[in-house]
Amino acid sequence: MADKRDYYEVLGVDKNSSAEDIKKSYRKLARQYHPDVNKEPDAEEKFKEVKEAYDVLSDDQKRATYDRYGHQDPNQGFGGFGGGGADFSGGFGDIFDMFFGGGGRQRDPNAPQRGNDLQYTMTIDFKEAVFGKETEITIPRNESCDTCHGTGAKPGTHPKTCTTCHGTGQQEIVQNTPFGRIANRRVCSVCHGKGKIIVEKCTTCHGEGRAKKQRRIKVNIPAGVDDGAQIRLSGEGEGGLRGGPAGDLYVVLRVRKHEFFDREGDDIYCEVPINFVQAALGDEIEIPTLSERVKLKIPAGTQTGTYFRLKGKGVPRLRGMGTGDQHIKVTVVTPTKLTEEQKELLKQFGELSGQSISKLSSDEHHESIFERMKKAFRGE
C-alpha cells in the first residue's frame, strides 16, 4: 500500500476538514478530471482516485477507520480501502492459482455472470438542476436474447458440453521439467473457457445469448444537483449472462451555464446595475430570483460592488436541509451620453461638493485605467 496516496492529499484537504469542505473539493476535482471533459491520458485514473478518496472520507464510519489505520483497514484483510489487495478468503487453493495458474478450485464457466455497468452523460439546463425534473432517456444496451432466451443456441437445440475440457472451460497441460512433471491449466482452446459448444447458433444473437436493444428509462433528477453529479439506476445496465443479474446504469449530469445567475455550492450569485441617482439617494428595485421577482431596498450612499443577500432564495439542498441564499452585487453605471443641461447640473453638483472640474480633470486624477494597467505591466 506504500504507493497509494493519502486520501486527504488526493482531495486537497486536511484531516480537520468538514464534510462540506470535502464535498466541495470532490465536486471541483471530479469536474476537472472527468474523462468526458478532460482528454489528458491520465485523467481517468485521477478521476478514479478522487472518487475512491471521496467514497471513504464522505462516510463517517469509513473515515474514522481510515483516520486510525490508514489504507490498511483491519476489517478488509490485506486489501484495505479501494479493494486493491488480494483476497485470501478462498484458502491456499486460490493462492496457488494466483502464482501458478492452476491447482486451486475449479470455477464453473457456466455460472451466472453479472452484466456490465453503463454510463450515460445527460446535459440539463441550469434551472432543471436547481428544481429537479423527471425525464426519459434512450440507451442502447445488451439484453438477454428473446429468441434463444440467453442460451445462444437455435430454438429447439441446446449447447453441448465441450469434449476437450469436459465442461470445465480449462485444459490441463502437463510438462516434463528438471523438477518433475508440472501440470498447468489454461483456457480451453476449443470452447474458449465457456465449457459448452453451440453447434447451431441463434440467428438473432449469433450465439452470444444477448442482443443490442434500445431501452427507454425514466430518470428522476432530484432538486439541487450540481454539475458532475451521478445518479445510479440499479439493474438498468447491461443484462447478465446465463441468468445473471443486470449491471447498473450511472447517469452523469452536465449543467449548462446561465446567462444571469452563477452558482457556488447551494448559493446563487448575480450582478445588477443601478444608476448614480439610485446609488446616491437610495431606491427600491426589482430583482429576479430563480423562481420569482422580489423587491430589494438600496440604501442611500450605496457604493459600487456592494453585496446584498436574499436569504433562502438559492438552491434547495439535496438532503432536504433548507435552501441556499442569493447574493446580489450592485454595480453603479456611469452615463456615457449627457445633455448640456445634465452636464451643467453635474458641474454645479461638483462645485457644491467642493470638487471643481479642473481638479477632477487634472492629469493626476484623470489618468485612464488603461494607462494605469500599462504601468502595472511595466512594473511601475
Side-chain angles (χ1 to χ4, degrees):
M1 306 298 293
D3 60 342
K4 203 175 187 68
R5 291 175 63 200
D6 179 77
Y7 287 149
Y8 292 98
E9 179 185 349
V10 171
L11 294 181
V13 297
D14 58 50
K15 289 190 175 182
N16 298 321
S17 297
S18 65
E20 187 62 28
D21 290 336
I22 290 174
K23 185 178 180 180
K24 286 182 179 179
S25 179
Y26 165 68
R27 286 179 172 177
K28 178 182 177 182
L29 293 171
R31 286 195 293 267
Q32 180 180 348
Y33 294 120
H34 197 282
D36 289 345
V37 177
N38 193 325
K39 301 303 181 184
E40 294 178 3
D42 61 344
E44 184 174 355
E45 287 303 315
K46 289 183 178 179
F47 179 79
K48 291 179 180 178
E49 184 182 40
V50 167
K51 187 176 186 306
E52 179 182 322
Y54 179 70
D55 286 343
V56 173
L57 298 185
S58 62
D59 185 294
D60 292 341
Q61 186 175 351
K62 289 182 180 179
R63 183 179 180 182
T65 304
Y66 177 73
D67 287 344
R68 185 173 181 182
Y69 299 102
H71 292 294
Q72 193 66 49
D73 181 4
N75 296 320
Q76 299 188 32
F78 292 93
F81 289 103
D87 179 12
F88 297 125
S89 59
F92 288 99
D94 284 344
I95 299 176
F96 194 88
D97 275 341
M98 188 191 313
F99 288 102
F100 300 102
R105 296 173 309 187
Q106 295 184 7
R107 294 176 174 84
D108 184 2
N110 297 301
Q113 181 180 330
R114 183 180 181 273
N116 294 326
D117 292 339
L118 297 177
Q119 179 176 293
Y120 180 91
T121 301
M122 178 191 298
T123 302
I124 59 176
D125 290 332
F126 187 89
K127 288 191 175 182
E128 289 175 337
V130 172
F131 298 112
K133 66 177 292 189
E134 187 176 282
T135 185
E136 285 190 346
I137 59 175
T138 301
I139 62 166
R141 68 182 187 187
N142 287 319
E143 297 182 8
S144 180
C145 177
D146 293 332
T147 305
C148 65
H149 304 291
T151 66
K154 181 180 178 180
T157 67
H158 300 280
K160 295 183 178 180
T161 300
C162 176
T163 56
T164 302
C165 65
H166 306 291
T168 64
Q170 294 180 326
Q171 287 178 282
E172 189 174 90
I173 309 297
V174 179
Q175 295 176 315
N176 293 317
T177 71
F179 302 101
R181 289 164 60 88
I182 294 179
N184 189 22
R185 287 182 178 171
R186 300 176 183 175
V187 174
C188 178
S189 59
V190 177
C191 67
H192 306 291
K194 296 180 180 179
K196 292 185 180 295
I197 297 175
I198 300 174
V199 179
E200 296 185 70
K201 295 182 178 180
C202 171
T203 56
T204 302
C205 66
H206 306 291
E208 293 296 323
R210 297 187 299 181
K212 186 76 74 176
K213 298 180 182 179
Q214 297 288 331
R215 177 70 66 179
R216 290 191 65 81
I217 300 172
K218 285 187 177 181
V219 181
N220 183 32
I221 301 172
V225 295
D226 205 350
D227 187 72
Q230 282 193 140
I231 299 174
R232 175 175 170 266
L233 300 177
S234 180
E236 294 295 352
E238 288 196 335
L241 290 172
R242 298 176 293 278
D248 298 332
L249 172 65
Y250 290 86
V251 180
V252 180
L253 299 177
R254 293 290 168 217
V255 181
R256 295 188 183 94
K257 295 289 186 182
H258 196 278
E259 60 182 9
F260 181 71
F261 297 113
D262 288 318
R263 177 177 176 179
E264 290 186 17
D266 296 321
D267 288 345
I268 293 295
Y269 289 81
C270 64
E271 186 173 339
V272 175
I274 60 174
N275 59 47
F276 168 75
V277 178
Q278 290 173 310
L281 302 181
D283 195 7
E284 188 176 68
I285 63 175
E286 197 174 58
I287 299 293
T289 68
L290 292 168
S291 58
E292 58 183 344
R293 291 181 175 272
V294 299
K295 297 289 186 179
L296 176 66
K297 187 175 181 180
I298 305 294
T302 295
Q303 302 297 308
T304 189
T306 301
Y307 279 90
F308 297 91
R309 183 179 70 150
L310 295 176
K311 192 172 182 180
K313 295 297 181 182
V315 180
R317 295 189 174 95
L318 270 175
R319 301 190 180 182
M321 301 174 62
T323 307
D325 303 325
Q326 180 170 333
H327 303 268
I328 300 101
K329 177 184 177 182
V330 294
T331 303
V332 180
V333 179
T334 303
T336 56
K337 295 182 180 180
L338 297 172
T339 64
E340 291 302 321
E341 182 180 4
Q342 289 171 331
K343 291 178 182 178
E344 185 60 35
L345 290 173
L346 283 176
K347 288 178 183 179
Q348 294 178 23
F349 174 79
E351 292 172 356
L352 290 172
S353 303
Q355 298 175 336
S356 64
I357 298 301
S358 59
K359 290 181 181 179
L360 294 173
S361 60
S362 66
D363 290 340
E364 182 181 355
H365 294 84
H366 191 63
E367 185 177 49
S368 74
I369 188 172
F370 298 105
E371 291 297 326
R372 294 199 297 272
M373 195 178 346
K374 287 179 183 178
K375 286 186 176 181
F377 277 120
R378 292 196 297 263
E380 299 179 12

